[in-house]
Amino acid sequence: MVGLAGEWLTATANTNMFTYEIAPVFIIMEGLLIKKMHELIGWRENEADGIFSPGGTISNIYSVLAARYKFYPFVKTKGMAALPNIVLFTSEHSHYSFEKASAVLGIGTENVITVKCDERGKMIPSDLEEKIVKQKEMGHVPFYVNATAGTTVYGAFDPLAKIADICEKYGLWMHVDAAWGGGLLLSKKHQFKMNGIERADSVTWNPHKMMSVPLQCSAILFREKGLLQACNQFCAGYLFQPDKFYDVTYDTGDKTIQCGRHVDIFKLWLMWKAKGTCGFELQINKCLENADYVYKKLTCRENFELVFPGEPEHTNVCFWYIPPSLKGISRDKEWNDKLHKVPAKIKALMMEKGTVMVSYQPLKEKPNFFRIVLSNPASKKSDIDFLLDEIERLGHELEF
Ligand SMILES: *Cc1c(COP(=O)(O)O)cnc(C)c1O
Ligand SMILES: *[C@@H]1O[C@H](CO)[C@@H](O)[C@H](O)[C@H]1NC(C)=O
């Protein structure tokens, strides 16, 4: 509700984030919240930097852009032809926005090296190090590692401190994509899952996910002040006159790759004022409790199986429903092919009936599985029971 009110006021003001004179209050709010988010990450530098962007994908692109500029400032004028063959690393469970960033920035998707994950979807640090060494032997230049706090499918948290050690050892930029997991920094109970994030050079954090801010609201945060400005500024004379009567460092618009920019900050600022950090904390803890409830239910219901062992770290819970017709027969390739079809069939029935909807996907060689993601604190245990009962009701007679 508060977020919605923020949207309305934003639309009513209908202003633009490029310069201070056009959006003074919103620019100041943006600065305040970037500072607040820096503190929550645990960065000690007192000068915060960052920008709100149109989504996590764009925030991730900003991080690669700024990192590349940090190592090769002449890329801005000379282009990629003046650079060695640079490569970056990300986990095999990464969101596809990483490959997209490499394609957009002219780095090329073949220069995105994927690092292996363990059974819970966490990046394996020793594999990262081996791949860095191997790339160097091939004459390539590693420059950037993307770690994830809350992967898209499993909700896994990469071992950030270990990854930070490796980045330090080889002098690489460390990015943490906390688009999904960032909200957990607001919870005293769950923030330990991101230990090590304070050693990152940049962090993506989407308040429009776990903090339930209306779309769109995503921040890209930098530890080094001024880099983003240097990387992206073009000093257009009609907008960013240096001789204005006020402190022109408030004209943050030249840090972006856009010109005009939507006001995404006000609804977040208003929600933060209304709920306080502890309001967000309660909301986030509630979602994680719900995920734990799903997990516990699944472990004791007969026809359900978890995709990865152990309690969920975030609110993603991945599982298969095994219809009675597939029980008690050997789990060969044919069986897998049949199981693969189950979620699509059940989902189609759900949509025909109009009762609920839940997503599914395959992952590597694993057959399609259901993935519940809880980010609405208003979800109740009875909603979860209903969902699981509905899967059972629609699925128990499936035959192949
Ligand atoms: C959602 C997500 C993204 C993309 O964010 P958008 O705002 O949808 O562009 C990137 N990385 C992770 C880990 C995500 O969960
Ligand atoms: C980093 O990894 C995450 C998820 O694993 C992914 O969402 C993101 O797109 C990756 N890329 C960048 C550039 O941060």
Side-chain angles (χ1 to χ4, degrees):
M1 279 313 286
V2 176
L4 183 61
E7 274 287 293
W8 281 336
L9 192 138
T10 300
T12 309
N14 191 30
T15 191
N16 198 319
M17 288 295 274
F18 44 39
T19 61
Y20 175 75
E21 60 204 336
I22 296 296
V25 177
F26 297 141
I27 298 265
I28 286 174
M29 286 172 173
E30 188 174 52
L32 285 173
L33 290 193
I34 285 172
K35 189 158 190 309
K36 180 111 198 137
M37 292 166 105
H38 264 238
E39 284 162 13
L40 288 162
I41 288 169
W43 279 331
R44 306 235 176 277
E45 290 74 5
N46 44 16
E47 292 206 275
D49 209 349
I51 202 89
F52 278 74
S53 89
T57 304
I58 310 287
S59 291
N60 285 339
I61 290 175
Y62 269 116
S63 82
V64 181
L65 184 65
R68 184 178 63 179
Y69 178 83
K70 166 89 180 161
F71 293 111
Y72 304 101
F74 51 87
V75 69
K76 192 167 168 181
T77 45
K78 303 261 182 275
M80 281 300 283
L83 268 57
N85 188 340
I86 56 173
V87 291
L88 44 87
F89 302 82
T90 191
S91 91
E92 58 186 356
H93 280 218
S94 274
H95 190 262
Y96 69 95
S97 63
F98 207 22
E99 280 201 308
K100 192 167 271 196
S102 296
V104 169
L105 297 172
I107 293 171
T109 54
E110 285 178 8
N111 295 310
V112 177
I113 313 298
T114 49
V115 181
K116 287 206 190 85
C117 291
D118 65 15
E119 58 173 8
R120 298 225 30 172
K122 293 167 179 288
M123 188 191 274
I124 302 173
S126 59
D127 190 58
L128 171 64
E129 184 157 16
E130 274 166 35
K131 293 205 161 128
I132 291 171
V133 172
K134 189 157 160 245
Q135 287 296 318
K136 287 169 85 105
E137 282 166 9
M138 289 164 72
H140 296 166
V141 182
F143 82 109
Y144 178 105
V145 176
N146 173 44
T148 308
T151 55
T152 313
V153 180
Y154 281 10
F157 290 82
D158 286 343
L160 301 181
K162 290 203 180 109
I163 294 172
D165 288 341
I166 295 173
C167 289
E168 229 164 73
K169 179 167 169 195
Y170 293 93
L172 310 183
W173 181 281
M174 177 177 170
H175 175 65
V176 176
D177 182 347
W180 173 223
L184 270 62
L185 288 170
L186 298 157
S187 163
K188 288 191 271 307
K189 186 164 171 208
H190 297 286
Q191 60 194 185
F192 75 92
K193 295 169 185 170
M194 274 178 280
N195 283 347
I197 195 171
E198 71 286 353
R199 294 170 66 192
D201 297 291
S202 55
V203 173
T204 291
W205 178 350
N206 281 8
H208 72 219
K209 288 195 169 162
M210 204 55 194
M211 293 165 78
S212 307
V213 177
L215 271 167
Q216 62 195 37
C217 193
S218 169
I220 173 68
L221 304 156
F222 290 94
R223 190 160 63 168
E224 182 178 330
K225 174 107 179 155
L227 188 63
L228 195 57
Q229 176 88 18
C231 174
N232 295 325
Q233 76 180 357
F234 276 88
C235 308
Y238 79 101
L239 273 179
F240 304 111
Q241 303 86 344
D243 53 355
K244 291 183 187 174
F245 76 94
Y246 59 83
D247 176 357
V248 292
T249 59
Y250 284 97
D251 284 352
T252 50
D254 222 9
K255 289 183 189 181
T256 74
I257 53 174
Q258 303 173 251
C259 172
R261 190 163 57 106
H262 186 257
V263 178
D264 296 330
I265 196 65
F266 182 65
K267 58 200 168 193
L268 175 61
W269 183 90
L270 198 62
M271 284 174 77
W272 219 315
K273 275 283 166 208
K275 292 172 195 289
T277 302
C278 52
F280 278 124
E281 178 172 23
L282 287 175
Q283 188 176 308
I284 285 160
N285 286 349
K286 176 77 194 303
C287 292
L288 280 133
E289 275 162 33
N290 279 340
D292 195 54
Y293 181 78
V294 180
Y295 166 75
K296 296 222 161 81
K297 281 277 150 177
L298 290 173
T299 50
C300 56
R301 284 184 78 136
E302 218 186 313
N303 298 328
F304 291 84
E305 250 174 59
L306 291 160
V307 172
F308 58 86
E311 290 174 18
E313 286 186 290
H314 204 325
T315 70
N316 310 45
V317 190
C318 299
F319 61 92
W320 287 286
Y321 173 71
I322 314 221
S325 68
L326 289 183
K327 295 215 91 155
I329 42 179
S330 82
R331 299 190 165 195
D332 50 14
K333 163 119 190 13
E334 198 187 332
W335 186 87
N336 258 310
D337 292 345
K338 287 178 180 166
L339 184 63
H340 185 69
K341 299 194 180 113
V342 170
K345 288 200 172 177
I346 294 179
K347 183 171 179 179
L349 291 169
M350 282 175 174
M351 291 177 73
E352 273 168 29
K353 300 259 185 306
T355 46
V356 283
M357 202 159 77
V358 60
S359 73
Y360 68 83
Q361 73 268 293
L363 191 76
K364 293 171 71 191
E365 71 290 349
K366 289 194 163 72
N368 275 331
F369 52 83
F370 286 115
R371 174 179 67 124
I372 300 185
V373 180
L374 296 143
S375 61
N376 179 358
S379 299
K380 296 188 294 288
K381 294 198 166 74
S382 57
D383 297 323
I384 292 162
D385 291 336
F386 176 79
L387 173 65
L388 299 182
D389 289 344
E390 191 67 1
I391 290 175
E392 179 104 55
R393 193 175 73 80
L394 298 170
H396 82 282
E397 283 182 340
L398 287 180
E399 301 263 4
F400 297 89

